[in-house]
């Protein structure tokens, strides 16, 4: 720090007496206050500089030319530069400050409830919203060392007992997230995220918005209880039954799933693989493609499949191309999936 040069030879006698008196007074009081002592010395130096002839003064700096009225500000600045006083560290607003998410749905929920600014890394498939910090972390095969390298205090991931135990042994909290079976489970998960990240109010608002938007979409659609549908997960003709969460979304509109008989015993856990012949025989009124991104499927590609050009859905233009990511995740964008179904049902109602 730049200090004011001393010039004792130029001090008038009365100022020397004043300085001596101040020193005696400080000694008599036994003061050890390092803040007050420096504040008194500049006052004497400033006075001396004022009375000394200009020709005898060394070139002045901004600090040397400071007026006595600025002494408190100078003392505070000196204390800050020398580290005499340090502000107390601010308490963090939230318990978890460094969150790693290796769950695309978990990532979307975190950002939707306002905790996105504390997310430091996400897995390779968590590319929504666009501002999510995508890394090469694997969601399929989580690696403890790779996750820990981001120094997280909270990790969001699908249930995995061994990985969770290893992370917790390092002092890292884990918030597990698994596929829900019902809509209520979706809302419970969002509420848990709100509690864990101390964004409970924001989570409650998100749940309320989702409930009201979904209710409005269902109300806007006509009765579709007489219509059948086929939901395609992959171009290998894997589908879902009404026992799955995706199947329950369609049940909101009363739609009948042509895949249900293919897994009546539950041996495929709700995800049977169908055949071209099976689908052509069932002749669904609506076809929903959830493999547009992964497999490049659309209305034109399926029309070229053997016998599919005869399907009612293909001939009537009732093939709905969905976003794979939105359909496979049960976070805030679940509303968009339901909106696509509602629009399709409404269009049929309008045509009839």
């Amino acid at each position: 720090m730049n200090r004011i040069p001393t010039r004792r030879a130029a001090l008038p006698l009365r100022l020397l007496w004043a300085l001596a008196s101040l020193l005696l007074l400080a000694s008599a009081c036994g003061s050890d206050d390092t803040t007050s002592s420096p504040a008194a010395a500049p006052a004497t130096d400033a006075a001396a500089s004022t009375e000394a002839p200009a020709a005898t003064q060394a070139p002045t700096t901004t600090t040397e030319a400071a007026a006595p009225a600025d002494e408190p500000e100078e003392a505070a600045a000196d204390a800050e530069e020398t580290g005499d006083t340090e502000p107390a560290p601010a308490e963090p607003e939230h318990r978890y400050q460094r969150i790693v998410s290796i769950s695309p749905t978990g990532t979307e929920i975190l950002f939707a409830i306002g905790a996105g600014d504390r997310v430091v890394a996400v897995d390779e498939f968590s590319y929504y919203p666009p501002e999510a910090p995508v890394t090469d972390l694997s969601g399929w095969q989580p690696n403890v060392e790779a996750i820990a390298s981001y120094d997280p205090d909270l990790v969001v991931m699908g249930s995995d007992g061994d990985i969770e135990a290893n992370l917790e042994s390092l002092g890292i909290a884990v918030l597990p997230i698994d596929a829900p079976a019902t809509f209520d489970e979706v809302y419970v998960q969002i509420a848990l995220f709100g509690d864990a990240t101390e964004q409970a109010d924001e989570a409650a608002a998100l749940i309320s918005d989702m409930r009201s938007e979904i209710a409005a979409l269902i109300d806007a659609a006509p009765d579709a209880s007489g219509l059948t549908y086929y939901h395609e997960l992959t171009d290998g003709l894997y589908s879902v039954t009404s026992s799955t969460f995706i199947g329950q979304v369609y049940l909101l509109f009363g739609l009948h799933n042509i895949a249900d008989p293919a897994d009546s015993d539950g041996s495929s856990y709700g995800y049977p693989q169908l055949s071209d012949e099976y689908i052509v025989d069932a002749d669904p009124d609506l076809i929903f493609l959830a493999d547009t991104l992964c497999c490049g499927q659309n209305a034109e590609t399926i029309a070229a499949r053997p016998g599919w050009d005869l399907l009612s859905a293909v001939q009537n233009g009732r093939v709905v191309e969905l976003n794979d990511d939105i359909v496979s995740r049960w976070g805030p964008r679940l509303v968009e999936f339901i909106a696509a179904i509602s629009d399709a049902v409404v269009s049929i109602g309008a045509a009839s």
Side-chain angles (χ1 to χ4, degrees), residues 4-252:
I4 300 173
T6 56
R7 294 182 293 276
R8 294 184 182 275
L11 289 173
L13 183 59
R14 60 186 180 84
L15 290 175
L16 290 176
W17 277 111
L19 178 60
S21 299
L22 288 173
L23 293 174
L24 288 172
L25 179 60
S27 176
C29 294
S31 173
D32 60 354
D33 187 350
T34 57
T35 303
S36 59
S37 296
T44 305
D45 288 345
S49 299
T50 303
E51 296 187 10
T56 63
Q57 294 186 24
T60 60
T61 64
T62 303
T63 304
E64 291 178 276
D70 295 333
E71 291 166 12
E73 289 79 4
E74 289 183 12
D78 289 349
E80 182 176 351
E81 291 183 21
T82 57
D84 291 342
T85 59
E86 294 183 1
E91 288 293 328
E93 183 180 357
H94 301 98
R95 175 175 41 181
Y96 298 119
Q97 295 294 316
R98 296 184 61 81
I99 304 173
V100 168
S101 173
I102 49 177
S103 162
T105 298
T107 299
E108 294 190 18
I109 294 174
L110 287 168
F111 276 85
I113 64 175
D117 59 340
R118 289 179 276 148
V119 176
V120 297
V122 300
D123 70 281
E124 57 190 332
F125 297 111
S126 288
Y127 35 73
Y128 185 89
E131 60 267 30
V134 179
T135 69
D136 59 358
L137 288 174
S138 173
W140 296 110
Q141 296 179 317
N143 181 284
V144 173
E145 293 180 356
I147 296 170
S149 69
Y150 290 94
D151 192 27
D153 46 26
L154 176 66
V155 173
V156 175
M157 60 176 290
S159 293
D160 186 318
D162 292 338
I163 299 294
E164 291 179 48
N166 289 332
L167 288 171
E168 289 170 353
S169 70
L170 297 175
I172 302 171
V174 176
L175 177 59
I177 177 172
D178 293 315
T182 66
F183 278 83
D184 284 341
E185 289 184 15
V186 172
Y187 302 136
V188 167
Q189 281 190 1
I190 294 174
L192 287 175
F193 269 65
D195 291 339
T197 61
E198 297 170 283
Q199 304 279 147
D201 290 344
E202 292 80 357
L206 174 61
I207 293 170
S208 178
D209 289 345
M210 290 178 66
R211 286 184 183 275
S212 60
E213 289 177 27
I214 291 172
L217 290 168
I218 295 171
D219 289 342
D223 180 17
S225 57
L227 299 175
T228 59
Y229 76 95
Y230 162 63
H231 179 98
E232 183 168 291
L233 282 178
T234 72
D235 57 355
L237 306 186
Y238 277 95
S239 189
V240 299
T241 68
S242 298
S243 65
T244 64
F245 179 76
I246 292 175
Q248 291 191 31
V249 175
Y250 289 103
L251 283 177
L252 294 173

